Amino acid sequence: MASSLDSAQAGKAVKALYAWLKKEAKKKDSSAQLLGGNGADDFFHLSVSLKKTKPERKDKPIRIQISNPLYDLEEAESCLIVKDVAGEGKKAAKEKLRDGNILGVTKVLRVSNLKKKFATHEQKRQLCKDYALFLADTRILPLLPKLLGKTFFKKKKQPVPVDLRGSDAKWKKNIQEAITSTYVHLSGGSNFTVRIGRPEEHSPKQVLDNLLEVADKLSGMESIGKWKNIQRMYVKTTSSVSLLIYSSDGSKE
C-alpha cells in the first residue's frame, strides 16, 4: 500500500462508528431502519485535509474503483443525461439500455430538458432528490454546471462522466463502472470527502476495505499533491462526529 495509513486504527474507528449508530438507533427507538441513520442518504465518509490548498476546482469528479460498491446495480436509481443529437439522444439511449440489458439506469434525460423542464430552483432541487446518482455523456459535461445549479454541487451529486461512444458492450461496461465507483469532488479548497460505504448495506470490514483502497489511490493522486500533501484523514458518517485515523505529524487529537 502506497499510503502510510494504520489499517488497525482505521478499523477501530469504523467499528466505533457502527457502535455509535446502533446506540443512536436505540435512542430513536426506530426499527424501520437497520442502523437508524438517514436511510439512503447516510454514508461513511473519508474526510481529507490537505497541507497546502490546491486551488484547482474540478467539475469533473475523479473516479475511484472500490471492491464494495455504494450501489447495487439491480437496485440503483440513476439518471442518465444524454445529447440531443439524432442517433445519440434519449430514444437511442433507451434502446441501447434495453438491448444491452444494462442495469442501474432508471431515467434518461435530454440535456435540453434541463433548461425546459427544470428551470426553477425548486425543480432542480427535486430532480437532485429523485435519484441517487447522475451520469452524463462526457461530451456534454461542460454544459451541466450552469444548467444544474448549485444544489447538485452542494449535495455532491454533480453528474459523473460516462463515455457513450462505441458498442453496446462498451456502453454496459462504462455505465456499470460509473455506478459502482466512488468519486473525489475537488472544490478548490483544502478539504474534501469521499464516500466509502453505507451503514445499511456494508459490514465494517467492507467499509474498511473501501477506505484503504481509496487512501491508496489518493496517495498517488497528482491533483491533490499525493500523500505528502495530506495533513489529516478522518472517518465519519453523515450524522456523526469525525474520528481521526491519520495525521502527518503523528498527533492523535
Side-chain angles (χ1 to χ4, degrees):
M1 186 174 184
S3 72
S4 55
L5 182 64
D6 185 337
S7 60
Q9 183 177 343
K12 289 178 181 178
V14 170
K15 288 180 179 179
L17 288 174
Y18 268 96
W20 179 85
L21 286 168
K22 289 179 180 178
K23 286 181 180 179
E24 287 298 296
K26 288 180 181 178
K27 287 181 184 178
K28 295 175 183 178
D29 194 27
S30 173
S31 59
Q33 296 179 357
L34 178 61
L35 292 174
N38 295 320
D41 292 329
D42 204 4
F43 291 89
F44 279 97
H45 303 267
L46 179 63
S47 180
V48 181
S49 297
L50 302 176
K51 296 177 183 177
K52 295 181 180 179
T53 300
K54 301 295 287 187
E56 181 182 9
R57 170 176 171 153
K58 289 184 176 291
D59 291 327
K60 182 178 179 180
I62 303 170
R63 179 182 301 174
I64 298 179
Q65 288 288 142
I66 48 178
S67 298
N68 306 288
L70 302 180
Y71 302 102
D72 186 295
L73 285 171
E74 294 187 0
E75 299 176 0
E77 293 189 355
S78 69
C79 176
L80 175 64
I81 304 172
V82 298
K83 296 175 70 177
D84 286 291
V85 180
E88 297 185 80
K90 180 177 179 179
K91 183 178 179 181
K94 292 180 78 171
E95 288 176 355
K96 282 210 173 192
L97 291 171
R98 183 188 65 244
D99 296 345
N101 191 30
I102 300 173
L103 302 175
V105 177
T106 51
K107 174 75 173 178
V108 179
L109 191 64
R110 296 186 185 93
V111 67
S112 60
N113 282 347
L114 290 176
K115 189 173 184 179
K116 294 176 183 177
K117 296 184 178 181
F118 303 96
T120 69
H121 173 74
E122 178 56 30
Q123 289 170 330
K124 291 173 182 176
R125 188 194 68 79
Q126 188 59 49
L127 176 64
C128 182
K129 184 179 178 181
D130 284 344
Y131 300 94
L133 186 68
F134 290 83
L135 315 174
D137 187 323
T138 304
R139 294 166 290 182
I140 63 170
L141 207 67
L143 304 174
L144 299 182
K146 185 177 180 180
L147 292 172
L148 293 173
K150 296 180 180 178
T151 298
F152 281 76
F153 291 87
K154 286 180 179 178
K155 296 290 185 180
K156 298 291 189 292
K157 280 191 174 183
Q158 55 264 55
V160 298
V162 183
D163 187 352
L164 297 181
R165 294 167 292 186
S167 65
D168 288 3
K170 188 174 181 181
W171 261 57
K172 186 170 187 175
K173 177 179 180 292
N174 291 346
I175 287 176
Q176 290 185 350
E177 284 184 355
I179 293 174
T180 56
S181 297
T182 192
Y183 295 86
V184 176
H185 299 276
L186 297 178
S187 61
S190 59
N191 300 284
F192 63 89
T193 62
V194 186
R195 291 172 174 174
I196 55 171
R198 295 169 64 194
E200 295 185 351
E201 301 294 333
H202 298 109
S203 68
K205 183 181 183 305
Q206 289 175 318
V207 173
L208 178 61
D209 287 345
N210 285 351
L211 186 160
L212 296 176
E213 288 174 348
V214 170
D216 193 43
K217 290 293 184 182
L218 294 177
S219 70
M221 193 173 287
E222 292 280 358
S223 54
I224 67 166
K226 298 186 177 182
W227 189 259
K228 63 185 178 182
N229 193 40
I230 293 178
Q231 181 76 45
R232 290 179 178 175
M233 281 185 168
Y234 303 83
V235 62
K236 67 184 292 292
T237 71
T238 303
S239 54
S240 76
V241 297
S242 299
L243 301 181
L244 181 69
I245 58 172
Y246 170 77
S247 177
S248 61
D249 59 12
S251 65
K252 297 183 178 179
E253 290 193 344

